[in-house]
Amino acid sequence: MRVKVSENIVLYWRHGQLICDNFVAHEQHALTEDAEFILRWFGSWKDVDSLYELALKGYSVPKLQSLTQQLLDAGILITEGSDAHRFEKRLAIWEEWRMSAKYFHFSNRTLSTTDFVPDDEDGQRLNDKAKVVQVPSLYKEYPNSKRVSLPSPGPAPAGERASREDGIVDLLLRRRTCRSYAPDKAVALDQLSTVLFYTCGAVGFARAAGVGKVLMKTSPSGGSRHPIEAYPCIMNVEGIEPGIYHYSVRSH
């Protein structure tokens, strides 16, 4: 059986302790000096029995075998042909974007095992945290810097109008972020259609030199490549079976 270090981990130092972050599994492990040595040994594919070669250097093979098994159980080491190995090959597509992009993407994902708590429990958790950790300030200020007074804000110029009759200032002032849901009331199909189109849909096209036809959405994107895809989790929408869907920008 051949093993090697997983390509889906990041190592860093914290308070003098070497930490291994398995960012795909969202698990962190503190490593001992012997564990670090094993990772160096299995930096490339080696048979697990190669640990016996270390006996000639005075290392305790049974101890190293035990540590190797712990690293395998933690997903830090992977075996050739395993599910973890196949998953690693699937993620090889990230190599052209470098480790930093892959690390950021997977370390910020929500897992299926993530435990979401009700609003009241989450509020109590924040209250408890505020008793031991200072709440961040509402404002960022530079008290010793020179200040320039600004005139009172007025209405937007007459030419800067929204797509409807309302002015852009009124539109901005009406904007709200709402997380109040009615689980017993279905979402209308036309509501879903409107939300998906104006947040993720193709609202227009243009042509750019050297690129050709580019896609226009209501959000900006480098090179108009728009890498963010929408996967609506449908639970209660009129006329649509519950399930996870992919929103097709091409055909709406």
Side-chain angles (χ1 to χ4, degrees), residues 30-72:
L31 300 182
T32 64
E33 185 176 339
D34 289 335
E36 178 188 355
F37 175 78
I38 292 175
L39 296 187
R40 293 182 184 276
W41 181 257
F42 289 115
S44 58
W45 289 113
K46 284 189 179 73
D47 195 283
V48 70
D49 290 336
S50 66
L51 287 172
Y52 285 101
E53 298 177 25
L54 302 178
L56 301 176
K57 300 181 180 181
Y59 290 95
S60 169
V61 173
K63 180 180 179 181
L64 294 180
Q65 286 177 323
S66 176
L67 282 173
T68 298
Q69 187 58 54
Q70 292 178 44
L71 293 171
L72 284 168

Side-chain angles (χ1 to χ4, degrees), residues 137-149:
S137 172
L138 291 176
Y139 310 103
K140 174 68 176 180
E141 294 186 297
Y142 296 88
N144 298 322
S145 299
K146 179 182 177 180
R147 299 189 179 203
V148 177
S149 297

Side-chain angles (χ1 to χ4, degrees), residues 5 7 17 32-33 37-38 42 53 62 64 70 79 91 125 136 138 179 199 204 231 248:
V5 177
E7 296 178 5
Q17 176 72 62
T32 64
E33 185 176 339
F37 175 78
I38 292 175
F42 289 115
E53 298 177 25
L64 294 180
Q70 292 178 44
T79 58
L91 297 190
R125 177 184 63 83
L138 291 176
R179 295 185 180 87
T199 57
Y231 292 87
S248 171

